[in-house]
Amino acid sequence: MFKRNRFAVAAAFCFGLAFSFAAFAQQDCQSCNDACYEQYEQCNSDGYPFCKATLRACTKACGCQV
């Protein structure tokens, strides 16, 4: 059971990291943030418990000025 959870967490983390790098490469800040929130909504609908941390990492990688 724990190995299955760790695999799901690791897979989601890798997906989030790859998505963040892709978002970082985008020029348009708004579209980058929009993509992060779409990923967040998908993560929530999949029922993962670490979606907010992934969202924060993704939006931070966008490099937008606050």
Side-chain angles (χ1 to χ4, degrees):
M1 180 173 138
F2 291 113
K3 284 188 178 189
R4 189 175 192 183
N5 264 351
R6 281 190 279 170
F7 178 77
V9 168
F13 176 77
C14 291
F15 175 78
L17 188 62
F19 191 85
S20 294
F21 285 141
F24 184 77
Q26 291 180 0
Q27 296 297 323
D28 185 16
C29 188
Q30 184 62 43
S31 67
C32 179
N33 275 330
D34 289 346
C36 289
Y37 280 99
E38 286 176 22
Q39 177 190 8
Y40 173 73
E41 291 298 323
Q42 182 63 41
C43 182
N44 273 337
S45 68
D46 290 342
Y48 293 117
F50 46 82
C51 299
K52 283 200 181 230
T54 305
L55 174 65
R56 282 191 297 264
C58 183
T59 56
K60 186 176 180 181
C62 288
C64 300
Q65 297 294 327
V66 177

